[in-house]
Structure formats: C-alpha cells, structure tokens
C-alpha cells in the first residue's frame, strides 16, 4: 500500500502501477455517451496522454482508448491509488505550509469510499460531481500542494492543475474554476463532449471545490426544510405521525432517511439502486427496508397510527410508490402522505440521475448506454406519470415542493402538468423549497409569488431564512480527532445561546434555537461520515462569532490543529440559480450571475485560503453559476482578521442583492448592518408608491 509521502511524490511512472481496471464490488458511474467523432476521439486520447512522457504513451494509449470506448471517459483507472483514501490527520501530510496540508485533507475526504458516490470515477455526489476529471490530475495536484509555499498559488482549470504561480501571502493559496464554458456552448450535449475530451468537468458544488463533508450537510438542510415545511404548510411543530415521501438514497439524497428520524416523522424513501439502499441501512440511517409495495403501505399505516418515528426504504421506483398512494386514496379515501419532495439527481436525468419506472435498474443502465434516445423518451414519460400522481394527491391536504434538483424543470420539459397560470419563468405549480420554505419574503417592494395557505400565527416561524443571511456554514477539524469536533460543537452552542440571551428578533431566535437543537441531535445521531465536520445554518453575526471562538480555542490549544471554515455553495451569496437559490428574486435578475461571480472575487480579496467558481451544481449544467471557499483558522490574529472580513462579505453580498431586488426582510437587515458598520454603504431601493405612475407612463 502506498504512503502519503508516495502519494505526494508526483505521477508514479517508473515503474508504472499495475492496471487493475475497475474495482469489483464498489459502485461505478453510469456509462457516458458523448457521441464523439473519430477526430474527437483522437483528441480525447491525445489530451489524456499529454500528462505522460513519450516512453509510456505507447503502453497507455490502448487502455485509455478502451476506457473511452467502454465508459465514455478516460478516468485512468491504472492510476487509482492503492492507499486507503480518507481524511488523514493534517500532521501526516508532507508539506511546506499547513494550509496546503489542510487542502489535501479536504481532497482526500471527497474521495473516501465511505463519502464518495463513485470513488473510482472521482465522483463525490450527485451522480456526476467530479473532484477531478482523471487520476493523473489527482496525483499532480497532491504533488503541487506538497511543494507549495506561502508565496505561491495553485491554479486549477476544471480539474487540471495548471501549476504553481508566484503570488503574495495574502492571496489565496488555491483558485479553482470548474465548467467555465462560453455561455452559447454551455449545453448538455456540448458538456458531454467537452468532458470526454478532458477539457472541462462538472464539479457540482462542493465536489470540485474540495469542501464536501459527507451527507451530514444535506441532513441538516433537510432537517430545516422539513421542520419549516411543517410550520408553513401544516401549522405544526410536532411531526409525530406525519408522513414525508421522497426518493433517493445516494450521495446527497441518502440524508433524507436520517433527517426524517431527527425531526420525528415517518420518512418513506424510494431507491432503485439496491447497493445505495443497503449502504444507508448498514450505516443505520435507514431503520427498515422492503422491496414490497404492500409491505411499505402496511408499515406506513402502522407507523401513522402509533405515531412512530420511522425511516423506511422502499427498494423500487418512486413513481410506483406515488401511484400506489393514489390508489390507496382512490379506493379508501385516505391520503397517507402529508409532505413530499424528490431528490433524484434530476439535473442529470438522461445519464443515470433519474430511472424510468418502466424498466428495472439494470435494464435502464443497459438502455441508457445502448439507445439514449429511447431511454430519454421513457424518462420523460415516467416524469409525466410521477407528476400526475402528485397532482392527484395534492387535491387533498398534501404539500409537495421541489428540492432544487431540477425535478419540476425537467418535468416541464417532459410535458408534465406543472404549469402555474400567470407565473414567471421560475415558478411552477409547486414551489421551490427556496421560494416557500428557505428564502421567501412578502416582497413589499416587488411582485410576490401567490401565497399558499399558511396556518395563522406561523408566518414568522418559517419565512426569510436566506433573506436574513442564514445559510449552510460548516467547519472541519483537520486533526481528525472527534474530541476537537466536540469542542467546536460546545463553542458554537455557547455562541448561539449568548446571542439569544443578549436579545434577537423572534425570527432569528427561532433559527438559532433550531441550530442548537441540531448540534445536540447531530452528536447524538453520530452524523460524521469521513472528516470530523459540522454544519449549521447561521447568519453573518453567528458565523463571525463562531469563527472567532474556534480560532481562539486553537490559539490556546484547546483545539489541537487548524480548522477549515467553509460552506455549501447553496447559500445566501454563493449561487445564482433561477430555479433554486435565486428563484425568489422577482425583479428580473434571477437569470443574472453577478452575485456569485462577485462573491468568488470578493472572498479571494478578503482572505480566503481558497476559492472556487463553478458552472452547474444542484439543478444542472448551464442552469447555475456558483462558488465557494475554504478558510483555514490556525489560531493567529491574522486568521481572525481574515475570518471577520471575509465572512462578513460572504453573507452581506447576497443580503444586499436581495435587498435591491425588493426583499423587505433583506432591506431591514442591510439597514441594521449599515448602522452597526459605518464602512458598509449599500444602495437602497425606493419602491413605487403609486402603481398608477407605471400604468399611465406605459399608456403613453
């Protein structure tokens, strides 16, 4: 087995490692169908071989060509390391600077088989979220990081390490871009070709930015989403006996089962891939599994009656489950589901992200590769059937939302009945979870999506999470020691409790209380998979205060090693995505990406250790621009200063954008922040007091 020292010594060429091919017994990415011409195939092969000197190209060329033919991409399986891939403690990495070792710690976590969805294809989550495009890029990146100094920056082009370039100590040590394709060529068809050529890649969000923390991140997001959905749609705090139906138990979606248990409801999750279902069951995230719809319905009824807390995995297609729930409604008059969503990788529906109900899992994989056109037709027919069943259930007191995976967008493209009369381009018959649960406001200044029924007295409980600056803040203890994570949990809890004691608005207090509950539940449910990491939804003040507390604990050796701060790209400022993060922007700018790009640049200018900017993520290639960062806390005053400056910008950018688009809550937050910080000056919008001014002007 290789050592970390060997892993950081550059490409292993003399001798070449044994070509062991695809490893049996582990999940693998679906076969891609890029439809390359003979000339393009030669180009893909030439691009792969340029990582290697001429004396080994003759040996490698045939096997790379075979990979391209069999799998639609050159992954370079020969160079998949034989070391155990995991987040080793920071002290074990050979390096010139600790921040480089921290980055290596994060990369290794993204490729840990316990974390990654398809580890040999370098896919962390989402079906196609790449860390690198091939294994040569991994080896070179680790080598460069081990040699990096505090006066160099590593530049990454869509997985390719361009090299180490001279820079300053205050500059980022790493700058990543993924999928930055010229807009007119940013189509799915072009992407498949460009990825096969090895010149771009889909980094999802935190896969290609090296900031994934396992399914814990989406567990937390799902916990908050379901809690706030219950408040908004059902008018309740206690979910005992309530049923949440959804699909997917893979890299991200696997979190839904655990989230259902934490909020105390009955979660029924369909999954077509038996390996993914069994993995979650072994982890203890799924309490029960069945491949029988009869047993599924029986168990659901029992749990509802007894108000059990249950996570039940159904091995089968979610469309069959939805249609069975309709059958039960039509034959018994009983609606067995209260809340519903979907977490298939519908951003990639024709390449393994969504499996049609008409085929078995293995049949679908075969047809996907052999006849993509027929497979696409079946997927779209399946989407229409799924929506039809959901529409029937929604006639009762059942509530469905889009969970940001492009489900409703793809259903619309398939011809499903998801239209909302008189709505804008980003609105459908059912809301995005951002629109109604995580980021909606009453839109005093601008046009608002027509409100659904909301129980009396619950509005303040669920509204405006993004507008108030709350988003998925996270940190990783690079020591790998669970005790360090326990200390950070204690510090974060104390910070939030002190903030509540000092007095905050009711809506902010509720979010802080949810996070305190989350931290306690996370420790109890042992949510760590991979690196010692934690996530919580915090606003600007909370993030800065937590960062300062952690940095001080490192300084006094209460925490033994540096801590990496980060966040999901799915955040207040990090993502421009008209069908998800910015779907509640109604001034016409939802399709503009200035915010995400400015955030990337602004974080780099204000002290981030590394920054990333991606095309695609969440809802799919060409549908979103998003970015993220990593910031290493090492206990120094300089680290505290960087954290204060960068974290403030990283939140206030998005709040200011929402303010300018007409969001009343964001307006209030920005005004308050400007009062507290005289160096912040934001252009504030004026509302049109009299609508007749517009009407009369347009009549002219």
């Amino acid at each position: 087995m290789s050592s970390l020292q060997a892993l950081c010594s550059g490409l292993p060429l003399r001798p070449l490692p044994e070509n062991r091919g695809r490893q049996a017994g582990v999940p693998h990415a679906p076969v891609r169908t890029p439809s390359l011409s003979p000339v393009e195939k030669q180009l893909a092969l030439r691009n792969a071989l340029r990582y290697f000197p001429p004396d080994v190209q003759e040996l490698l060329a045939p096997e790379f060509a075979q990979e391209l033919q069999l799998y639609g991409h050159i992954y370079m399986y020969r160079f998949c390391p034989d070391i155990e891939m995991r987040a080793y403690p920071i002290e074990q990495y050979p390096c010139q600077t600790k921040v480089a070792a921290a980055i290596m710690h994060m990369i290794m976590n993204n490729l840990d088989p316990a974390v990654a969805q398809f580890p040999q294809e370098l896919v962390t989550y989402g079906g196609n979220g790449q860390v690198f495009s091939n294994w040569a890029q991994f080896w070179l990146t680790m080598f460069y990081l081990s040699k990096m100094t505090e006066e160099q920056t590593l530049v990454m082009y869509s997985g390719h390490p361009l090299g180490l370039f001279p820079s300053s100590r205050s500059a980022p040590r790493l700058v990543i871009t993924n999928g930055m394709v010229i807009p007119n060529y940013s189509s799915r068809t072009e992407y498949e070709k460009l990825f096969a050529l090895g010149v771009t890649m889909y980094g999802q969000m935190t896969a290609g930015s090296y900031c994934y923390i396992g399914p814990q991140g989406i567990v937390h997001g799902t916990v908050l989403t379901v809690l706030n959905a219950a408040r908004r749609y059902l008018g309740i705090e206690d979910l005992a006996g309530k049923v949440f139906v959804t699909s997917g138990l893979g890299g991200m979606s696997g979190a839904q089962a655990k989230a259902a248990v934490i909020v105390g409801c009955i979660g029924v999750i369909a999954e077509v891939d038996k390996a993914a279902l069994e993995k979650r069951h072994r982890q203890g995230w799924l309490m029960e599994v069945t491949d029988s719809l009869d047993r599924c319905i029986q168990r659901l009824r029992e749990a509802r009656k007894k108000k059990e807390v249950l996570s039940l995995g159904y091995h089968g297609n979610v469309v069959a489950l939805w249609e069975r729930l309709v059958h039960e409604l039509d034959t018994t008059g009983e609606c067995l589901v209260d809340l519903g969503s979907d977490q298939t990788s519908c951003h990639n529906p024709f390449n393994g992200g969504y499996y049609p109900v008409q085929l078995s899992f293995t049949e679908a994989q075969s047809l996907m590769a052999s006849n993509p056109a027929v497979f696409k037709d079946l997927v779209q027919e399946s989407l229409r059937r799924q929506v039809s069943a959901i529409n029937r259930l929604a006639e009762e007191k059942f509530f469905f939302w889009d969970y940001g995976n492009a489900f409703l967008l793809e259903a619309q493209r398939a011809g499903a009945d998801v239209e909302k009369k008189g709505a804008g381009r980003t609105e459908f018959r059912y809301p995005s979870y951002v629109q109604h649960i995580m980021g909606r406001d009453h839109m005093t200044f601008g046009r608002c999506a027509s409100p659904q029924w909301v129980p009396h007295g619950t509005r303040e409980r669920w509204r405006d999470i993004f507008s108030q600056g709350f988003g998925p803040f996270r940190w990783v203890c690079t020591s790998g020691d669970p005790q360090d994570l326990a200390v950070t949990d204690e510090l974060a809890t104390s910070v939030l409790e002190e903030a509540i004691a000092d007095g905050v608005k009711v809506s902010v207090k509720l979010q802080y209380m949810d996070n305190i509950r989350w931290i306690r539940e996370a420790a109890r449910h042992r949510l760590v998979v991979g690196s010692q990491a934690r996530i919580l939804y915090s606003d600007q003040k909370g993030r800065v205060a937590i960062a300062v507390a952690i940095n001080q604990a490192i300084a006094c050796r209460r925490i033994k090693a540096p801590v990496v701060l980060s966040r999901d790209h799915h955040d207040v400022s990090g993502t421009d995505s008209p069908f998800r993060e910015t779907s509640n922007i109604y001034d016409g700018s939802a399709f503009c990406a200035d915010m995400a790009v400015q955030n990337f640049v602004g974080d780099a200018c204000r002290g981030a250790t590394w920054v990333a900017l991606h095309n695609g993520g969440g809802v799919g290639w060409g549908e979103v621009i998003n970015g993220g960062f990593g910031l290493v806390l090492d206990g120094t005053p300089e680290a505290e200063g960087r954290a204060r400056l960068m974290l403030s910008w990283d939140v206030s950018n998005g709040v200011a954008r929402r303010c300018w688009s007409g969001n009343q809550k964001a307006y209030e937050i920005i005004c308050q922040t400007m009062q507290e910080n005289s160096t912040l000056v934001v252009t504030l919008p004026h509302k049109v007091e009299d609508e007749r001014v517009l009407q009369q002007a347009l009549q002219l």
Side-chain angles (χ1 to χ4, degrees):
M1 179 176 289
S2 299
S3 64
L4 287 176
Q5 188 71 45
L7 202 65
C8 295
S9 299
L11 269 169
L13 298 173
R14 295 174 179 83
L16 287 171
E18 178 187 358
N19 183 15
R20 293 166 292 156
R22 274 194 168 195
Q23 182 182 343
V26 298
H28 288 287
V31 174
R32 311 192 75 90
T33 54
S35 301
L36 299 182
S37 69
V39 172
E40 289 169 333
K41 289 177 182 178
Q42 285 189 26
L43 182 57
L45 190 55
R46 181 180 296 111
N47 287 346
L49 289 173
R50 61 185 166 177
Y51 287 101
F52 304 93
D55 62 313
V56 298
Q57 290 179 359
E58 187 175 354
L59 174 64
L60 296 177
E63 66 188 58
F64 288 176
Q66 185 179 42
E67 286 185 21
L68 184 62
Q69 179 181 353
L70 293 178
Y71 311 121
H73 188 73
I74 301 172
Y75 296 104
M76 306 182 185
Y77 289 114
R78 176 190 287 269
F79 294 95
C80 183
D82 62 359
I83 191 174
E84 180 186 357
M85 300 293 285
R86 63 182 178 86
Y88 291 88
I90 190 172
E91 295 295 334
Q92 296 184 25
Y93 296 95
C95 63
Q96 306 297 314
T97 170
K98 285 297 179 185
V99 297
I103 296 168
M104 288 190 274
H105 180 91
M106 302 290 281
I107 290 173
M108 292 291 282
N109 186 69
N110 272 26
L111 294 170
D112 181 343
V115 174
Q117 186 178 14
F118 306 125
Q120 276 206 297
E121 287 77 38
L122 303 107
V123 172
T124 300
Y125 71 93
N128 59 350
Q130 303 285 148
V131 187
F132 300 98
S133 180
N134 59 58
W135 284 105
Q137 295 174 347
F138 166 81
W139 284 92
L140 287 174
T141 299
M142 296 295 281
F143 172 71
Y144 287 143
L145 288 170
S146 72
K147 302 300 181 185
M148 174 193 288
T149 71
E150 288 284 349
E151 295 182 344
Q152 290 175 304
T153 293
L154 176 59
V155 176
M156 302 293 298
Y157 281 13
S158 292
H160 169 65
L162 190 66
L164 290 168
F165 291 81
S167 63
S168 67
R169 297 179 69 89
S170 61
R173 299 279 69 80
L174 173 66
V175 176
I176 303 167
T177 52
N178 284 309
M180 293 291 106
V181 174
I182 304 302
N184 281 354
Y185 305 92
S186 188
S187 67
R188 280 182 182 156
T189 302
E190 287 293 333
Y191 167 72
E192 290 297 336
K193 287 192 174 185
L194 292 172
F195 180 58
L197 293 175
V199 296
T200 197
M201 76 176 200
Y202 185 76
Q204 265 285 359
M205 290 190 164
T206 53
S209 66
Y210 318 146
C211 293
Y212 192 62
I213 59 168
Q216 178 189 166
I218 191 63
V219 172
H220 182 238
T222 305
V223 164
L224 289 184
T225 299
V226 176
L227 282 175
N228 284 292
R231 291 163 178 157
R232 188 202 195 289
Y233 296 135
L234 305 179
I236 60 174
E237 294 283 343
D238 183 1
L239 282 100
K242 299 301 180 183
V243 177
F244 172 51
V245 170
T246 182
S247 56
L249 287 165
M252 289 279 282
S253 56
Q256 297 180 107
K258 179 62 77 173
V261 172
I262 292 175
V263 302
C265 73
I266 301 157
V268 183
I269 307 98
E271 172 59 62
V272 294
D273 185 352
K274 189 174 183 180
L277 185 141
E278 289 178 341
K279 178 179 180 179
R280 297 306 178 197
H281 193 218
R282 287 194 304 270
Q283 288 176 334
W285 289 40
L286 266 180
M287 296 167 65
E288 299 177 19
V289 297
T290 181
D291 59 4
S292 165
L293 268 178
D294 289 341
R295 173 60 181 163
C296 186
I297 297 300
Q298 177 190 358
R299 191 69 188 90
L300 190 160
R301 288 184 187 277
E302 293 172 355
R304 286 184 82 217
K305 184 177 181 180
K306 298 177 182 178
K307 293 190 174 182
E308 291 181 58
V309 175
L310 174 67
S311 57
L312 174 62
Y314 166 58
H315 180 216
N317 197 291
V318 72
V319 180
L321 176 58
W322 284 119
E323 290 179 340
R324 177 61 181 268
L325 289 167
V326 169
H327 173 76
E328 295 297 321
L329 172 63
D330 289 341
T331 56
T332 70
E334 185 178 15
C335 185
L336 296 175
V337 57
D338 302 284
L339 300 170
S341 191
D342 184 276
Q343 263 203 44
T344 54
S345 294
C346 221
H347 67 275
N348 186 34
F350 311 123
N351 204 7
Y354 183 96
Y355 284 80
V357 67
Q358 306 93 323
L359 303 173
S360 70
F361 181 60
T362 53
E363 288 171 341
Q365 286 189 314
S366 176
L367 186 64
M368 190 190 315
S370 64
N371 198 330
V374 173
F375 182 78
K376 179 179 179 179
D377 289 343
L378 291 177
V379 164
Q380 293 190 322
E381 179 188 333
S382 189
L383 284 165
R384 292 192 293 270
R385 284 175 56 178
Q386 182 170 345
V387 168
S388 178
I390 291 167
N391 287 349
R392 172 66 185 95
L393 292 165
E395 295 172 8
E396 308 299 317
K397 195 176 178 181
F398 157 72
F399 300 94
F400 182 89
W401 66 87
D402 184 296
Y403 210 169
N405 61 337
F407 171 72
L408 290 178
L409 179 62
E410 289 303 328
Q412 179 192 52
R413 290 168 175 168
D417 183 12
V418 295
E419 298 295 332
K420 179 180 178 182
K421 293 182 179 179
R425 291 169 66 188
T426 64
E427 298 173 74
F428 298 102
R429 181 171 184 161
Y430 304 103
S432 153
Y433 75 117
V434 173
Q435 288 172 314
H436 271 201
I437 301 171
M438 303 299 275
R440 185 178 180 274
D441 191 21
H442 292 297
M443 301 299 295
T444 300
F445 293 133
R447 187 178 63 82
C448 174
S450 56
Q452 293 190 10
W453 170 79
V454 184
H456 178 70
T458 64
R459 290 187 184 274
E460 283 298 325
R461 295 180 178 273
W462 52 259
R463 75 177 199 176
D464 305 337
I465 291 179
F466 276 179
S467 303
Q468 294 179 93
F470 281 89
F473 181 55
R474 58 180 60 168
W475 60 87
V476 176
C477 298
T478 64
S479 66
D481 187 345
Q483 183 56 39
D484 276 358
L485 183 61
V487 172
T488 64
D489 282 349
E490 180 184 334
L491 291 170
T493 301
S494 296
V495 164
L496 298 180
E497 288 176 338
E498 289 171 11
I500 292 172
D502 289 343
V504 292
K505 291 183 177 180
V506 173
S507 55
V508 174
K509 179 181 177 181
L510 180 72
Q511 301 307 323
Y512 281 176
M513 291 175 63
D514 280 350
N515 278 296
I516 292 169
R517 171 184 174 183
W518 159 256
I519 291 172
R520 291 170 177 159
E521 290 288 335
R524 186 168 70 86
H525 285 276
R526 295 179 292 180
L527 292 177
V528 169
V529 178
S531 58
Q532 294 294 316
R534 185 66 73 227
I535 185 172
L536 56 79
Y537 267 56
S538 185
D539 58 356
Q540 179 177 324
K541 288 183 178 179
R543 296 185 203 203
V544 172
I546 291 169
V548 169
I550 290 175
N551 195 60
Q552 291 173 350
I554 297 169
C556 68
R557 301 297 296 165
R558 191 178 171 196
I559 296 173
K560 293 179 284 297
V563 171
V564 175
L565 300 182
S566 185
R567 58 163 169 75
D568 197 341
H569 297 198
H570 161 66
D571 196 18
V572 181
S573 307
T575 298
D576 282 296
S577 179
F579 295 99
R580 197 164 83 171
E581 284 81 356
T582 48
S583 60
N584 65 329
I585 300 291
Y586 298 106
D587 69 347
S589 70
F591 293 88
C592 301
D594 299 85
M595 180 179 72
V597 175
Q598 288 281 359
N599 218 66
F600 163 80
V601 175
D603 285 352
C605 294
R606 291 172 174 82
T609 307
W610 75 92
V611 289
L613 186 67
H614 297 185
N615 171 11
V619 296
W621 181 266
E623 306 285 358
V624 51
I625 298 294
N626 63 89
F629 73 87
L631 195 159
V632 177
L633 297 178
D634 59 7
T636 62
E638 291 79 11
E640 179 177 322
R642 289 192 296 269
R644 287 183 181 275
L645 191 60
M646 200 223 78
L647 292 175
S648 295
W649 156 257
D650 195 65
V651 175
S652 61
N653 173 36
V655 178
R657 188 268 179 93
R658 285 169 168 77
C659 165
W660 183 248
S661 73
N663 187 296
Q664 175 65 24
K665 182 60 67 175
Y667 180 92
E668 294 168 4
I669 295 293
I670 281 295
C671 289
Q672 178 184 342
T673 307
M674 284 197 292
Q675 289 176 355
E676 297 168 352
N677 184 353
S678 61
T679 63
L680 175 67
V681 183
V682 172
T683 304
L684 299 176
H686 297 282
K687 68 177 180 179
V688 176
E689 297 284 357
D690 189 346
E691 291 291 322
R692 289 176 300 178
V693 171
L694 305 179
Q695 297 166 4
Q696 291 171 1
L698 291 173
Q699 286 176 358
L700 295 177

